[in-house]
């Protein structure tokens, strides 16, 4: 009820023109979708520190190779060796600074296909953001990520080891909960009742 009240306040804060484009029920659905399906992080690709980090990657690889060659009988100058090692480590250092010191911007994004996958605790899956490609990748192992349901198949990923509290608040569901409710309000009440019963 508290969440519905907050979302109603957000909806009412919109301009009358915007409210005319969609109902509160549609706004509520969109908020639930973003709240439960969005991935958070810095995905803009406009952070100059990260851009510099990506630019330095091929130079870092070259530095590793050159330092390896120089460490043989041809290697003699410690200052040059230090400089090459510094260049090789630069992408990692810059990424760390961007994310932990400079306070990179956090965005919430929906990812087609990936964000439609439901949670299964034992699904052997991995989702990664590749900063070089500027894209997400999902990889799975074994057959426990694709479950047959009648004549259809459902794709699952693991959201990680989550407790009921986190699943309900952040994703809007509980494990082993019958979600076949046509009315969303009835579903919410049933979820709350199930959660309270499990918490006793």
């Amino acid at each position: 009820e508290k969440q519905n009240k907050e979302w109603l306040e957000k909806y009412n804060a919109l301009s009358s023109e915007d409210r005319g484009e969609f109902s509160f029920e549609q706004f509520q659905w969109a908020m639930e979708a973003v709240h439960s399906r969005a991935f958070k992080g810095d995905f803009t690709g406009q952070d100059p520190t990260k851009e510099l980090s990506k630019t330095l990657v091929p130079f870092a690889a070259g530095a590793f190779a050159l330092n390896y060659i120089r460490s043989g009988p041809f290697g003699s100058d410690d200052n040059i060796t230090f400089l090459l090692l510094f260049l090789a480590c630069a992408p990692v250092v810059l990424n760390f600074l961007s994310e932990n010191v400079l306070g990179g911007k956090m965005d919430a994004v929906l990812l087609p296909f990936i964000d439609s996958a439901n949670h299964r605790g034992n699904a052997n899956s991995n989702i990664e953001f590749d900063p070089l490609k500027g894209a997400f990748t999902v990889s799975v192992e074994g057959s426990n990520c694709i479950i047959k349901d009648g004549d259809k198949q459902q794709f699952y990923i693991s959201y990680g080891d989550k407790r009921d509290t986190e699943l309900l608040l952040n994703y809007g569901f509980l494990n082993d909960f019958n979600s076949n409710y046509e009315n969303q309000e009835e579903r919410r009440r049933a979820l709350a009742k199930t959660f309270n019963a499990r918490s006793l």
Side-chain angles (χ1 to χ4, degrees):
E1 291 181 8
K2 180 181 177 183
Q3 189 177 67
N4 276 345
K5 184 180 178 182
E6 290 177 356
W7 288 353
L8 183 59
E9 289 174 357
K10 291 180 184 293
Y11 178 75
N12 289 332
L14 296 172
S15 68
S16 57
E17 183 179 351
D18 287 338
R19 290 198 305 273
E21 294 292 326
F22 46 84
S23 67
F24 173 66
E25 287 72 24
Q26 291 172 316
F27 178 81
Q28 190 177 40
W29 175 88
M31 288 294 290
E32 287 181 350
V34 171
H35 189 70
S36 65
R37 298 289 181 175
F39 292 79
K40 292 182 181 178
D42 179 11
F43 312 126
T44 61
Q46 297 173 352
D47 184 337
T49 308
K50 287 197 170 185
E51 288 299 307
L52 178 60
S53 168
K54 287 192 284 186
T55 305
L56 286 176
V57 168
F59 295 102
F64 269 117
L66 189 56
N67 188 60
Y68 176 78
I69 294 170
R70 289 181 51 80
S71 64
F74 305 104
S76 57
D77 191 334
D78 289 341
N79 289 330
I80 294 178
T81 300
F82 176 78
L83 181 63
L84 291 174
L85 287 173
F86 176 78
L87 180 60
C89 295
V92 176
V93 173
L94 288 172
N95 263 327
F96 176 83
L97 289 174
S98 175
E99 293 174 3
N100 299 287
V101 179
L102 302 178
K105 180 183 175 185
M106 295 292 285
D107 295 309
V109 297
L110 292 174
L111 305 173
F113 181 68
I114 294 177
D115 60 30
S116 64
N118 288 323
H119 169 70
R120 188 177 179 87
N122 64 348
N124 194 357
S125 62
N126 186 42
I127 298 174
E128 293 180 315
F129 179 70
D130 186 339
L132 297 179
K133 295 179 180 177
F136 278 87
T137 60
V138 58
S139 57
V140 299
E141 291 183 19
S143 59
N144 58 358
C145 292
I146 301 176
I147 306 299
K148 193 167 185 179
D149 183 13
D151 59 343
K152 299 179 180 179
Q153 290 183 323
Q154 172 71 47
F155 175 61
Y156 289 92
I157 59 175
S158 174
Y159 298 174
D161 186 17
K162 309 288 185 185
R163 293 176 298 174
D164 278 349
T165 305
E166 192 172 358
L167 287 175
L168 183 59
L169 292 178
N170 292 338
Y171 303 101
F173 73 92
L174 293 171
N175 283 322
D176 304 318
F177 173 76
N178 179 14
S179 59
N180 295 325
Y181 290 86
E182 292 185 7
N183 185 290
Q184 285 298 313
E185 191 57 36
E186 288 182 8
R187 180 179 177 276
R188 289 191 194 96
R189 292 184 186 280
L191 271 169
K193 185 177 179 180
T194 302
F195 175 76
N196 289 332
R198 292 182 183 181
S199 302
L200 295 177

